[in-house]
Amino acid sequence: FSLQELHGIFPWLVESIFGSLDGIIVGWNLRCLQGRTNPNEYSVALDFLDPSGPMMKLVYKLQAEEYRYDFPVSYLPGPVKASIQEQVLPECSLYHNKVQFPSSGGLGLNLALNPFEYYMFYFAISLITQKNSPVTHHISPSNSAYFVLVDTYLKCFLPTEGSVLPPPSSNPGGAIPSPTPRSPAVPFSSYGMHHTSLLKRHIAHQPSVNADPASQEIWRSETLLQIFVEMWLHHYSLEMYQKMQSPHVKLEVLHYRLSISSKHHGSPAQSSYQALHAYQESFKPTEEHVLVVRLLVKHLHAFSNSLKPEPLSPSAHSHTASPLEEFKRVVIPRFVQEKLYIFLQHCFGHWPLDASFRAVLEMWLSYLQPWRYAPEKSPQSTEPLPRSVSEKWAAFIQENLLMYTKLFVGFLNRALRTDLVSPKNALMVFRVAKVFAQPNLAEMILKGEQLFLEPELVIPHRQHRLFMSPTLGGSFLSSRSPAVTDASLKVKSHVYSLEGQDFQYKQMFGTEVRNLVLKLAQLICQAQQTAKSISDHSAETMASQSFFSWFRFTPSEMNGSYTGNDLDEIGQDSIKKTDEYLEKALEYLCQIFKLSEAQLTQMMMKCGTAQDENGKKQLPDCIASENGLILTSLGRYQIINGLRRFEVQYQGDTELQPIRSYENAALVRLLFRLSSVLNERFADQMEVLCSRDDFVGRLCRYHLTNPQLIQKIRYSPVVRDRTSQNWGPRISLRFLASYRTLISLLMIYFLASWFYIGPVGCTFIILIGYFLYAVIMTFFFEGWKPHEQ
């Protein structure tokens, strides 16, 4: 094929592989393609799309000819799309020199992308657009061709060792001059980084054809990372997007709107203002999406930690540092930090309260622990002690303070609303507590909070020092240590740039958050007691099951109670794991927040985790009223999460209770009619017999009456106690409808036939035996009712 022909089929080929932007064309469905189920297609796809494979060779071949391809703005992430349609250029340099603003409005805009950008745009956005692909079997996202390709591209274009491999092209470096700018370039916000370094030239996309070949080393690395971050993380409300912008962008937006307002008497600006605040993107990330982002985070940590140590001489550093090394230095704070923080906030606030949140949790914890991906060799030790977090990570923790503190508070609020008796939820609490309990980590977080809360002594207006370079800190705060001032400025710049200058910071080690931790500790104690009671109940049930257990004659079915938790189905091993996770999580929380044993004891007594005298768990929190017990908000929470429950039992006429699974429905109805006829005909005679004071009266009362219950138990939060009702003497034959009774009688008749005893004789023996048994029991336990148990 000629270059012109390849240029014509390239968009069709990309769409055939990754699918259409509207999701109608599925393409190769790389997200569902796995080597275990489709080994041939899997290997062919990976070889074809490999960084050194045929597809990338075609990309570099077209790249050398400076071809451009249109990408619709309407398929960009919501905040960027709305910003461009408002004729405001996004801050990210990925969109610079690619958009032409029409004078009549922002509809139908396109980005003019080079082949490499066009290919990567489609590759990245297919993770978002291709959501409803037909799946006929279980898919493991981490084993899909898409996941493997993401990992391959990251290792190739963001290498932890060596440099980026040059493209297989006749033009070394593959440098393509950018088109002439159509709008003013918008500078990056600084975040305290050095803009006088070489990276300023490399990242700013200078439209110079004769650029230094070394400056072209990272253009693919930077483009790949920006596309991944924009497509996967840049999803939230436009208002939040505008709040994140640097002061330069805010000033430009203000000038733009003022100029529009003066020209059109305010109407276009008003409509633009309404569009800005009315916009809210409906974005629901999937678990697969989060797993891919976690892969990106882990690789960026490894990429950033592979930075070579800085030379002692500053002059030597300025001449010897390569563009890739400079890129490693700023890759996380400049490109990832902001968008990942907002993305995590979105997930923490909108993700369902179920076990699938584990993916988001692990992604967050991966970002919080860059030392896990550092090429350090831990000292050989036979003791499995947790490794202390080195002081060299203090700067990272301070510059990512909100990632540690505010998101930790967000997790606390989620944990307080989940069922901690579930092993998966208990595991998540354990994981977070274990990570934050690493030696020296809590101290460094506390130090970061202290730096942020330092009073501003000299400069009265905070806004003038927020985005200043930290290297200037020592020049105007002579009374403070320059190093401390630099660190304080960095922390303040980080917090205010993400949350705005009116942000009210909530201290992680303050009183309010400490109270939340105490509440979580209370729930952990309650969940431990609940898991223990469920475990004991399960053990008792297993021990009490007889030969007839296959007829489902369990105590829980006979008394109508239900635990309200699925741990019985999970098994004893999972209950043990739950208890272990919660116990270790409570221990870690005590280490982090310095909780004492006295506080824990007082808390456990306050929340009522101790058991009652009769061994039953305490009732849910409620208050007494004229109509009985009324649940409080705490009581409702305890019931919903399975922490406490009422022992609900049937309180009405035992003859009218619902038919149970271990009873024969036809026999229950037949015996009820027979009992009703007998009770109506002989009611007076039974009343007379039961009123006698001799042995006959006691024997009749034993069989025919339902005496008042002496022990009063609260069964329901709103119904008064009904145990005082007495139904009088009557005959009850319902026990004969039980499968257990019927099977027992059949077995007795079967065994009697072995001794040549006929049915009539066997029946007579049963009646005589039962009568003797009833006489004996009448002398000792007059009030016991064996036929109703």
Side-chain angles (χ1 to χ4, degrees):
F1 293 95
S2 64
L3 271 178
Q4 192 63 31
E5 291 175 328
L6 293 175
H7 166 63
I9 67 172
F10 181 70
W12 168 84
L13 180 60
V14 170
E15 188 174 87
S16 300
I17 296 173
F18 301 121
S20 59
L21 296 174
D22 54 12
I24 297 177
I25 301 177
V26 178
W28 289 5
N29 202 10
L30 297 174
R31 294 167 52 248
C32 298
L33 186 61
Q34 297 197 349
R36 178 173 52 85
T37 55
N38 304 99
N40 294 332
E41 293 87 344
Y42 178 83
S43 59
V44 169
L46 292 184
D47 292 341
F48 186 76
L49 301 177
D50 189 79
S52 58
M55 189 65 185
M56 292 305 296
K57 290 180 180 179
L58 172 61
V59 169
Y60 295 133
K61 191 172 185 180
L62 296 173
Q63 185 89 1
E65 299 299 323
E66 303 186 21
Y67 286 117
R68 291 292 184 267
Y69 301 92
D70 290 338
F71 188 92
V73 169
S74 58
Y75 290 104
L76 292 175
V80 179
K81 175 179 65 176
S83 179
I84 293 178
Q85 289 178 349
E86 279 197 329
Q87 301 188 10
V88 178
L89 187 65
E91 185 178 5
C92 179
S93 63
L94 184 65
Y95 306 107
H96 294 182
N97 308 324
K98 296 179 175 67
V99 183
Q100 298 182 7
F101 295 146
S103 57
S104 59
L107 299 178
L109 294 175
N110 292 312
L111 295 180
L113 304 177
N114 63 45
F116 184 81
E117 293 169 337
Y118 187 79
Y119 174 84
M120 287 301 173
F121 260 84
Y122 263 86
F123 174 76
I125 207 170
S126 64
L127 179 66
I128 310 297
T129 57
Q130 304 293 328
K131 285 187 177 180
N132 300 322
S133 302
V135 178
T136 57
H137 55 274
H138 176 69
I139 297 296
S140 175
S142 58
N143 295 328
S144 67
Y146 188 88
F147 194 90
V148 173
L149 280 173
V150 172
D151 187 46
T152 303
Y153 289 155
L154 289 174
K155 290 178 180 177
C156 175
F157 298 110
L158 299 172
T160 56
E161 295 181 0
S163 59
V164 183
L165 294 177
S169 173
S170 58
N171 182 11
I176 301 299
S178 300
T180 305
R182 299 282 184 175
S183 60
V186 182
F188 284 101
S189 56
S190 65
Y191 296 102
M193 308 309 294
H194 298 274
H195 283 275
T196 57
S197 66
L198 290 175
L199 191 62
K200 182 176 180 181
R201 298 200 309 270
H202 308 321
I203 292 184
H205 287 294
Q206 299 295 329
S208 172
V209 180
N210 300 320
D212 183 7
S215 67
Q216 300 299 330
E217 179 183 348
I218 64 167
W219 77 268
R220 288 174 297 160
S221 305
E222 175 204 344
T223 300
L224 175 85
L225 177 61
Q226 285 186 322
I227 291 174
F228 283 0
V229 170
E230 286 293 310
M231 295 298 108
W232 296 342
L233 298 180
H234 203 164
H235 298 271
Y236 32 82
S237 67
L238 184 63
E239 184 178 358
M240 180 64 68
Y241 171 73
Q242 292 293 340
K243 187 176 77 171
M244 289 172 51
Q245 301 304 301
S246 68
H248 308 286
V249 174
K250 292 181 178 179
L251 185 62
E252 182 177 340
V253 172
L254 178 62
H255 282 303
Y256 164 76
R257 287 178 176 164
L258 288 176
S259 62
I260 293 295
S261 178
S262 61
K263 291 180 181 179
H264 300 277
H265 307 285
S267 57
Q270 180 67 20
S271 62
S272 174
Y273 180 85
Q274 291 175 349
L276 170 67
H277 289 274
Y279 173 79
Q280 175 70 39
E281 183 182 16
S282 177
F283 177 63
K284 298 177 182 178
T286 62
E287 187 174 351
E288 180 188 10
H289 182 176
V290 174
L291 291 175
V292 173
V293 173
R294 186 191 180 206
L295 175 65
L296 173 65
V297 168
K298 291 166 64 176
H299 185 83
L300 288 180
H301 274 318
F303 177 70
S304 179
N305 291 333
S306 66
L307 179 67
K308 297 177 182 177
E310 295 186 9
L312 297 178
S313 171
S315 60
H317 171 265
S318 61
H319 292 288
T320 59
S322 67
L324 187 62
E325 294 298 306
E326 291 287 353
F327 188 58
K328 292 178 181 180
R329 193 184 310 278
V330 300
V331 62
I332 290 180
R334 184 179 296 241
F335 292 98
V336 179
Q337 185 193 63
E338 279 185 325
K339 295 180 175 63
L340 181 63
Y341 171 71
I342 305 298
F343 180 80
L344 283 170
Q345 270 199 320
H346 179 87
C347 292
F348 272 58
H350 297 82
W351 202 277
L353 291 172
D354 57 20
S356 65
F357 185 72
R358 175 78 186 279
V360 178
L361 188 79
E362 293 298 337
M363 187 245 295
W364 172 49
L365 296 180
S366 294
Y367 184 82
L368 298 186
Q369 303 176 86
W371 46 87
R372 289 182 56 193
Y373 312 100
E376 297 177 354
K377 294 184 179 180
S378 58
Q380 298 294 330
S381 175
T382 56
E383 300 180 1
L385 297 176
R387 187 174 63 173
S388 176
V389 180
S390 173
E391 285 292 334
K392 77 173 190 176
W393 300 107
F396 178 87
I397 294 172
Q398 293 165 10
E399 294 170 6
N400 292 272
L401 185 63
L402 291 178
M403 286 283 196
Y404 291 88
T405 59
K406 187 174 181 182
L407 292 183
F408 179 80
V409 175
F411 175 76
L412 284 180
N413 291 324
R414 286 185 62 93
L416 290 173
R417 293 178 289 161
T418 55
D419 178 14
L420 297 183
V421 184
S422 169
K424 295 179 180 179
N425 292 335
L427 175 60
M428 288 192 283
V429 176
F430 163 75
R431 287 283 296 122
V432 173
K434 181 180 179 181
V435 168
F436 278 85
Q438 293 178 86
N440 203 33
L441 178 57
E443 289 77 7
M444 286 194 284
I445 295 175
L446 179 60
K447 177 63 176 177
E449 290 193 321
Q450 292 172 349
L451 289 173
F452 173 74
L453 297 174
E454 277 190 356
E456 309 199 14
L457 301 178
V458 177
I459 304 299
H461 300 291
R462 179 186 297 163
Q463 61 187 23
H464 294 300
R465 52 180 295 194
L466 283 181
F467 298 97
M468 294 178 63
S469 173
T471 58
L472 304 177
S475 62
F476 56 84
L477 288 178
S478 57
S479 62
R480 309 288 292 180
S481 168
V484 174
T485 303
D486 279 356
S488 178
L489 278 173
K490 285 183 179 180
V491 176
K492 292 176 186 291
S493 175
H494 155 70
V495 172
Y496 290 129
S497 62
L498 290 182
E499 292 290 346
Q501 298 182 25
D502 57 347
F503 175 61
Q504 298 296 323
Y505 182 75
K506 186 183 297 184
Q507 299 182 54
M508 178 176 169
F509 296 96
T511 305
E512 187 176 352
V513 177
R514 189 180 182 87
N515 290 335
L516 289 178
V517 174
L518 288 174
K519 286 183 180 180
L520 178 61
Q522 285 182 356
L523 290 182
I524 289 176
C525 294
Q526 292 176 350
Q528 284 180 301
Q529 290 291 338
T530 304
K532 184 177 182 300
S533 64
I534 293 174
S535 178
D536 295 342
H537 175 266
S538 300
E540 292 174 2
T541 302
M542 294 296 295
S544 63
Q545 284 181 343
S546 63
F547 174 79
F548 303 99
S549 61
W550 57 285
F551 284 99
R552 302 173 67 88
F553 303 149
T554 60
S556 61
E557 288 180 344
M558 296 177 69
N559 60 23
S561 63
Y562 177 64
T563 61
N565 198 292
D566 60 349
L567 283 182
D568 288 320
E569 300 177 2
I570 296 176
Q572 291 292 323
D573 292 339
S574 293
I575 299 177
K576 279 185 182 178
K577 288 182 180 179
T578 299
D579 188 63
E580 292 174 2
Y581 291 147
L582 294 177
E583 184 178 356
K584 294 298 292 183
L586 191 59
E587 178 184 338
Y588 288 138
L589 288 175
C590 292
Q591 293 178 12
I592 298 168
F593 293 92
K594 305 296 188 291
L595 302 179
S596 63
E597 291 292 335
Q599 285 177 309
L600 286 180
T601 304
Q602 181 181 4
M603 173 190 60
M604 293 176 66
M605 294 179 62
K606 182 179 179 181
C607 67
T609 55
Q611 294 188 350
D612 293 332
E613 295 179 358
N614 59 0
K616 299 289 185 181
K617 197 159 186 335
Q618 288 187 345
L619 296 175
D621 189 66
C622 50
I623 58 176
S625 68
E626 296 179 352
N627 299 322
L629 300 176
I630 299 178
L631 282 172
T632 63
S633 57
L634 175 60
R636 285 191 291 270
Y637 173 83
Q638 291 168 341
I639 290 179
I640 291 173
N641 291 278
L643 302 178
R644 295 187 184 183
R645 62 186 176 89
F646 288 98
E647 294 294 335
V648 180
Q649 295 181 359
Y650 184 78
Q651 302 177 52
D653 187 354
T654 54
E655 292 296 300
L656 299 178
Q657 62 181 313
I659 298 174
R660 307 303 178 90
S661 60
Y662 53 83
E663 293 179 323
N664 184 280
L667 280 178
V668 168
R669 297 185 179 96
L670 179 62
L671 293 172
F672 174 73
R673 294 192 186 99
L674 179 60
S675 300
S676 299
V677 171
L678 294 176
N679 290 331
E680 289 177 5
R681 178 167 299 183
F682 302 105
D684 296 336
Q685 291 85 338
M686 288 188 293
E687 186 72 34
V688 172
L689 289 174
C690 291
S691 62
R692 295 172 57 171
D693 295 331
D694 54 6
F695 176 78
V696 175
R698 287 169 30 180
L699 184 64
C700 291
R701 285 194 296 271
Y702 174 75
H703 285 282
L704 303 176
T705 62
N706 183 18
Q708 297 182 2
L709 297 177
I710 299 175
Q711 182 183 9
K712 295 184 178 181
I713 303 175
R714 293 176 295 173
Y715 295 105
S716 172
V718 295
V719 181
R720 286 174 171 268
D721 188 84
R722 296 182 178 179
T723 58
S724 60
Q725 298 182 16
N726 188 358
W727 302 99
R730 57 180 177 173
I731 297 174
S732 177
L733 302 176
R734 180 164 176 168
F735 71 98
L736 294 175
S738 170
Y739 289 120
R740 173 178 294 183
T741 304
L742 295 175
I743 296 297
S744 300
L745 292 174
L746 288 176
M747 291 187 64
I748 291 174
Y749 283 119
F750 178 74
L751 292 175
S753 65
W754 283 42
F755 297 96
Y756 303 101
I757 301 176
V760 177
C762 184
T763 303
F764 180 76
I765 293 174
I766 293 174
L767 292 176
I768 293 296
Y770 180 77
F771 178 77
L772 294 176
Y773 173 77
V775 169
I776 296 173
M777 296 301 294
T778 302
F779 281 107
F780 299 102
F781 304 101
E782 180 182 352
W784 193 61
K785 298 283 294 178
H787 63 286
E788 291 190 1
Q789 296 298 323

